[in-house]
């Protein structure tokens, strides 16, 4: 192990501890009586009773004054001051504390409580124990160390240890997921688990990661969505199911994309995309109330309002309002492209009518959707698993929820006609053969499930990571994923 000069100095102190018979990484530790937050909350009663307490944490500040020393310990719950004197802990333990501890070390202290002349609640230490000797010094934030975003994400353990606000971000993430579970559980939905390794991938337009089962001599795919397995469970008789889990898509990395990400998918028998809109709105609003006791969230200097009814607008109207192009009047690619040119719009040319519609929306509408907005009625070719609109079969009963200029949720009235679904799969197969490597595969077993009979169903997918951006006031999903995927260190 190669150590730099600072690490070598700390390693020398580790060896000195060992020479003194002190294990720098003991197998057994004293029994912790209180977290630092609990100690602060119960301070008056414990101090009055003279109760002996044992606390543990990372050494953050240290001030030695001759035969006494003050220090601050941090744990997951806060910080607390401790006071040591040679007279109380003994000559050798005090010398070891002064000479052989460093900032970042994890220690335990035992003692009674008192208040300093400056009014600071403190522990009057009678003994201390080294729990883990830190060889690498913590970053000095006063000098701007460890401020680089990628460095923090690459060494998240240091980021978490040094920055309490980062730990709070992930606490909010956990509370968000808990609230969404609670909302669904209270309404009778069953949480389930479906395969991550799949012989046939589907449920989304994406390229998969491929792996291989050695014993079965079988190529398998990391799932890109949970949809098709969850709908099989609706066929099996469950009225409502949901899954919160990881999906994997072999795609680029940017502010709102990571190859491994967390999704909530929900399916409700005898529902449709309109009932799922109500469910989505209610669930996200409930989560905000649980976490913030409010339906108004400040995000990057602006208020995002989750109360009241959210805006609902068709994709046709949203595009027309921003560009003047009417996709219902331009139902063929050539007429659509001509309308785009006549409007003077600078936009990338796509190979099909549906993809050109999607490009129009993504370029001119999506970035402007800051407040929660449901975009409804999508072109059928973009939605191979959604039910057609009865009055216009070129479009489907689908919505996407947008906030902060990005898609947060996607939902359908789920297609349950096995013959229509088979044709959609065949269309996807033709697209794949023509070079669309994100097209879905034919799934004969899923078609058999539909032939058994699936009730009318509403389905929903919510990107947990993207929703966390709003709830934690972050601008990139790398800041709400503990260990986001990064390039190899040193690569451009």
């Amino acid at each position: 192990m190669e150590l730099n000069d600072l690490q070598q100095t700390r390693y020398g102190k580790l060896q000195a501890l060992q020479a003194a018979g002190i294990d720098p990484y003991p197998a057994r530790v004293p029994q912790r009586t209180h977290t630092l937050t609990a100690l602060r909350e119960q301070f008056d009663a414990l101090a009055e009773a003279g109760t002996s307490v044992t606390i543990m944490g990372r050494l953050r500040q240290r001030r030695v004054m001759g035969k006494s020393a003050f220090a601050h310990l941090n744990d997951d719950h806060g910080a607390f001051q401790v006071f040591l004197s040679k007279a109380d802990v003994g000559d050798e333990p005090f010398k070891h504390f002064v000479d052989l501890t460093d900032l970042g070390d994890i220690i335990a202290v035992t003692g009674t409580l008192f208040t300093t002349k400056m009014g600071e609640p403190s522990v009057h230490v009678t003994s201390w124990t080294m729990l883990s000797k830190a060889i690498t010094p913590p970053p000095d934030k006063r000098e701007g160390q460890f401020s680089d975003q990628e460095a923090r994400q690459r060494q998240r353990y240091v980021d978490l240890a040094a920055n309490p606000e980062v730990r709070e971000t992930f606490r909010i993430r956990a509370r968000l997921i808990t609230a969404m579970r609670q909302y669904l559980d209270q309404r009778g939905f069953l949480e389930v688990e479906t395969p991550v390794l799949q012989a046939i991938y589907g449920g989304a337009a994406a390229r998969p990661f491929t792996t291989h089962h050695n014993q079965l001599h079988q190529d398998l795919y990391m799932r890109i969505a949970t949809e098709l397995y969850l709908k099989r469970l609706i066929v099996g008789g469950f009225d409502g199911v949901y899954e919160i889990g990881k999906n994997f898509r072999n795609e680029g990395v940017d502010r709102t994309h990571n190859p491994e990400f967390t999704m909530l998918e929900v399916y409700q028998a005898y529902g449709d995309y309109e009932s799922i809109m109500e469910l989505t709105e209610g669930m996200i609003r409930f989560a905000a109330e649980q976490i913030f006791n409010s339906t108004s969230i400040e995000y990057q200097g602006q208020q995002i309002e989750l109360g009241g009814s959210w805006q609902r607008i068709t994709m046709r109207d949203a595009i027309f309002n921003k560009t003047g192009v009417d996709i219902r009047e331009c139902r063929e690619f050539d007429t659509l492209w001509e309308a785009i040119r006549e409007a003077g719009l600078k936009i990338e040319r796509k190979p099909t009518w549906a993809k050109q519609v999607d490009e129009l929306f993504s370029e001119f509408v999506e970035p402007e959707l800051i407040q929660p907005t449901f975009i409804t009625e999508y072109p059928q070719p973009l939605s191979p698993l959604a039910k057609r609109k009865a009055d216009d079969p070129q479009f489907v009963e689908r919505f996407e929820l947008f906030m902060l200029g990005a898609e947060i949720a996607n939902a359908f009235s789920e297609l349950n006609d096995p013959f229509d679904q088979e044709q959609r799969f065949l269309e996807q197969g033709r697209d794949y053969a023509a070079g669309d490597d994100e097209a879905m595969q034919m799934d004969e077993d899923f078609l058999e499930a539909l032939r058994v009979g699936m009730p009318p169903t509403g389905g929903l997918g919510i990107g947990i990571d993207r929703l966390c951006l709003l709830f934690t006031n972050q601008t990139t999903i790398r800041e709400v994923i503990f260990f986001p995927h990064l390039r190899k260190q040193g690569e451009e």
Side-chain angles (χ1 to χ4, degrees):
M1 185 179 294
E2 295 184 4
L3 302 178
N4 60 35
D5 291 345
L6 290 175
Q7 291 171 325
Q8 286 284 5
T9 298
R10 287 172 172 245
Y11 182 63
K13 295 181 181 182
L14 180 149
Q15 292 176 308
L17 286 168
Q18 292 173 324
I22 299 171
D23 187 347
Y25 308 105
R28 297 288 179 270
V29 301
Q31 180 68 43
R32 179 165 70 169
T33 61
H34 298 82
T35 65
L36 301 189
T37 296
L39 193 65
R40 194 171 292 279
E41 290 172 349
Q42 303 171 35
F43 178 82
D44 290 341
L46 293 170
E48 184 177 351
T51 303
S52 178
V53 301
T54 297
I55 59 173
M56 303 171 182
R58 193 179 292 273
L59 199 56
R60 282 301 182 203
Q61 297 179 23
R62 210 178 62 134
R63 188 170 74 256
V64 178
M65 301 170 295
K67 297 181 179 181
S68 64
F70 282 96
H72 277 86
L73 298 187
N74 281 34
D75 70 3
D76 186 31
H77 305 277
F80 207 88
Q81 181 170 275
V82 299
F83 169 77
L84 298 87
S85 71
K86 181 185 291 189
D88 294 315
V89 300
D91 292 349
E92 284 300 309
F94 185 78
K95 179 177 175 57
H96 292 155
F97 180 83
V98 171
D99 295 342
L100 303 181
T101 64
D102 293 287
L103 299 186
D105 291 350
I106 301 172
I107 67 172
V109 301
T110 298
T112 54
L113 302 179
F114 76 108
T115 302
T116 67
K117 294 179 180 178
M118 300 297 292
E120 178 72 16
S122 306
V123 176
H124 194 134
V125 177
T126 55
S127 65
W128 75 275
T129 306
M130 175 66 74
L131 303 183
S132 182
K133 179 66 182 170
I135 301 302
T136 298
D140 189 341
K141 293 195 288 183
R142 294 172 300 179
E143 297 184 6
Q145 294 180 7
F146 212 63
S147 59
D148 178 75
Q149 187 179 63
E150 183 171 325
R152 294 192 300 101
Q153 294 162 358
R154 199 174 290 281
Q155 292 185 298
R156 184 69 84 187
Y157 43 89
V158 179
D159 187 27
L160 292 165
N163 298 307
E165 66 275 13
V166 176
R167 296 200 299 273
E168 182 60 22
T169 290
F170 287 98
R171 286 195 189 93
I172 292 174
R173 177 190 172 103
R175 293 176 65 190
L176 172 61
I177 294 172
T178 296
M180 297 171 83
R181 273 197 172 99
Q182 183 180 352
Y183 186 87
L184 293 169
D185 290 345
Q186 289 174 349
R187 284 153 183 79
F189 287 86
L190 178 69
E191 184 172 10
V192 299
E193 296 173 290
T194 59
V196 172
L197 293 176
Q198 301 179 351
I200 298 175
Y201 62 90
R207 287 181 296 173
F209 289 97
T210 305
T211 186
H212 186 78
H213 194 299
N214 292 331
Q215 187 169 3
L216 296 180
H217 306 291
Q218 181 182 21
D219 286 336
L220 295 170
Y221 305 96
M222 305 289 284
R223 70 184 180 196
I224 60 174
T226 58
E227 177 170 347
L228 300 187
Y229 279 96
L230 291 173
K231 289 198 280 194
R232 286 171 168 94
L233 299 180
I234 296 295
V235 172
F238 291 106
D239 276 353
V241 295
Y242 73 94
E243 181 170 6
I244 299 174
K246 293 287 189 182
N247 289 339
F248 308 85
R249 297 181 185 175
N250 201 343
E251 60 189 15
V253 178
D254 61 24
R255 186 183 73 85
T256 60
H257 292 85
N258 193 67
E260 176 184 350
F261 59 98
T262 304
M263 283 287 291
L264 163 68
E265 290 205 34
V266 184
Y267 292 86
Q268 183 177 40
Y270 311 108
D272 57 26
Y273 80 131
E274 291 185 346
S275 65
I276 294 296
M277 263 190 256
E278 300 296 333
L279 178 81
T280 305
E281 197 172 316
M283 178 165 52
I284 295 175
R285 183 181 298 122
F286 173 79
E289 290 170 341
Q290 292 292 108
I291 297 170
F292 304 114
N293 197 31
S294 173
T295 57
S296 181
I297 299 177
E298 183 174 343
Y299 180 80
Q300 301 296 309
Q302 56 189 331
Q303 292 300 124
I304 305 300
E305 298 296 339
L306 302 178
S309 293
W310 298 354
Q311 181 182 16
R312 303 182 184 193
I313 184 171
T314 66
M315 176 172 275
R316 178 267 174 195
D317 290 345
I319 292 174
F320 183 78
N321 292 343
K322 291 293 182 181
T323 68
V325 174
D326 190 337
I327 63 173
R328 288 192 183 274
E329 293 297 323
C330 305
R331 290 176 177 255
E332 300 293 335
F333 177 81
D334 290 341
T335 56
L336 177 61
W337 185 248
E338 183 63 26
I340 290 171
R341 291 180 61 188
E342 289 178 357
L345 304 176
K346 294 182 179 180
I347 187 173
E348 182 180 349
R349 184 183 176 101
K350 294 296 182 178
T352 67
W353 173 82
K355 289 185 179 293
Q356 198 67 62
V357 169
D358 189 48
E359 184 70 8
L360 271 173
F361 177 82
S362 299
E363 186 71 20
F364 297 105
V365 180
E366 183 174 344
E368 306 297 321
L369 299 176
I370 305 302
Q371 297 296 332
T373 303
F374 290 114
I375 301 294
T376 65
E377 300 181 14
Y378 279 64
Q380 180 273 316
L382 296 177
S383 315
L385 298 169
K387 193 171 279 190
R388 298 176 192 268
K389 287 186 62 63
D391 60 349
D392 191 347
Q394 193 170 354
F395 294 84
V396 296
E397 294 193 355
R398 173 186 177 185
F399 76 76
E400 287 185 312
L401 171 63
F402 290 86
M403 280 188 272
L404 315 179
E407 175 205 341
I408 301 294
N410 185 25
F412 315 141
S413 295
E414 301 293 340
L415 181 59
N416 61 345
D417 178 342
F419 303 102
D420 191 356
Q421 183 65 79
E422 182 182 40
Q423 291 305 310
R424 308 271 191 100
F425 279 148
L426 290 171
E427 289 172 9
Q428 290 285 300
R430 288 190 286 271
D431 290 344
Y432 185 84
D436 184 354
D437 58 3
E438 293 187 346
M440 294 186 196
Q441 295 183 307
M442 174 66 73
D443 191 333
E444 291 286 357
D445 183 73
F446 179 67
L447 291 176
E448 177 59 25
L450 293 185
R451 287 193 288 269
V452 170
M454 185 175 82
T457 298
L460 167 69
I462 293 181
I464 297 293
D465 307 314
R466 291 183 184 178
L467 188 57
C468 281
L469 295 181
L470 169 64
F471 277 69
T472 61
N473 198 25
Q474 300 293 334
T475 59
T476 169
I477 63 171
R478 290 185 180 186
E479 293 293 355
V480 297
I481 298 173
F482 271 126
F483 303 103
H485 182 76
L486 301 170
R487 294 182 179 91
K488 289 183 179 178
Q489 202 157 3
E491 284 187 355
E492 290 297 328

